[in-house]
């Protein structure tokens, strides 16, 4: 029987990230603390810049079970939980693309794969986006620009094509992305 070594997330992220290049403006890592609509903490995200995109590791709890959409929104605020985090505005989308990973006229830079919340309300997952950069890599949307960005979780899954948000429904959790 073969034995496999397990690498920590930090080790995997470091391998995936490679060297931080000048076009990333030196930003190698960022994080987000998620809150729900009652302003309760529901977990964290760690974002790591790589030469071809950003790895996003989520460690969440206290969410309703089932598939959920998660997107990068264009303004770094979660100041209005009672209103459903609408202050974070729409998706990160400087190129004006249509929404959806499966859309032939998309995707926009805020589009991410769905996540699945387990029956106990938890999520531990790593995803990757080649569409965005923490610090401004050429050809990718900048997450940490002047008004920042937020990661926003919706109540439903994203169908990856319906405009404007893939049928994802109301926003249920939000985390402001901040450089580490």
């Amino acid at each position: 029987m073969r034995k496999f070594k397990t690498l920590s997330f930090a080790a995997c992220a470091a391998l995936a990230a490679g060297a931080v290049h000048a076009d990333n403006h030196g930003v190698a890592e960022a994080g987000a603390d998620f809150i729900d609509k009652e302003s309760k903490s529901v977990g964290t995200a760690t974002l790591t810049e790589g030469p071809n995109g950003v790895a996003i590791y989520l460690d969440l709890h206290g969410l309703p079970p089932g598939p959920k959409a998660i997107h990068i929104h264009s303004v770094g605020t979660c100041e209005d939980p009672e209103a459903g985090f609408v202050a974070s505005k729409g998706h990160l989308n400087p190129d004006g693309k249509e929404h959806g990973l499966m859309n032939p006229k998309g995707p926009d830079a805020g589009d991410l794969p769905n996540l699945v919340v387990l029956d106990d309300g938890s999520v531990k997952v790593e995803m990757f986006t080649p569409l965005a950069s923490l610090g401004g890599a050429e050809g990718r949307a900048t997450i940490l620009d002047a008004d920042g960005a937020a990661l926003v979780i919706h109540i439903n899954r994203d169908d990856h094509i319906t405009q404007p948000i893939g049928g994802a429904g109301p926003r249920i959790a939000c985390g402001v992305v901040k450089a580490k």
Side-chain angles (χ1 to χ4, degrees):
M1 179 178 215
R2 264 191 170 151
K3 291 189 178 189
F4 295 95
K5 290 187 178 183
T6 303
L7 294 176
S8 70
F9 169 73
C12 290
L15 289 172
V20 176
H21 302 287
D23 62 354
N24 294 337
H25 301 276
V27 180
E29 191 169 87
D33 294 319
F34 281 89
I35 59 170
D36 65 13
K37 289 176 70 175
E38 286 78 43
S39 297
K40 292 187 309 191
S41 173
V42 292
T44 62
T46 302
L47 295 83
T48 305
E49 182 76 46
N52 300 305
V54 176
I56 304 169
Y57 177 75
L58 300 169
D59 185 357
L60 306 169
H61 59 274
L63 297 173
K68 309 285 179 234
I70 181 169
H71 304 123
I72 305 169
H73 283 248
S74 65
V75 177
T77 184
C78 298
E79 67 188 21
D80 61 340
E82 68 290 337
F85 306 111
V86 295
S88 65
K89 303 287 183 191
H91 291 188
L92 182 65
N93 189 13
D95 296 330
K97 299 243 180 153
E98 286 191 16
H99 167 76
L101 294 173
M102 303 297 284
N103 187 330
K105 294 180 181 177
D108 66 51
D111 289 334
L112 294 170
N114 290 318
L115 54 90
V116 177
V117 180
L118 301 177
D119 287 340
D120 68 359
S122 70
V123 174
K124 288 187 191 272
V125 67
E126 183 176 20
M127 54 183 60
F128 180 81
T129 178
L131 304 172
S133 168
L134 292 177
E138 187 174 334
R140 294 188 270 144
T142 304
I143 294 171
L144 296 172
D145 61 7
D147 60 359
L151 291 169
V152 176
I153 299 170
H154 296 257
I155 191 65
N156 300 318
R157 69 178 289 282
D158 184 338
D159 69 13
H160 300 298
I161 200 157
T162 303
Q163 301 303 303
I165 60 168
R171 303 168 188 192
I172 61 168
C174 181
V176 176
V177 179
K178 296 179 181 178
K180 287 190 172 184

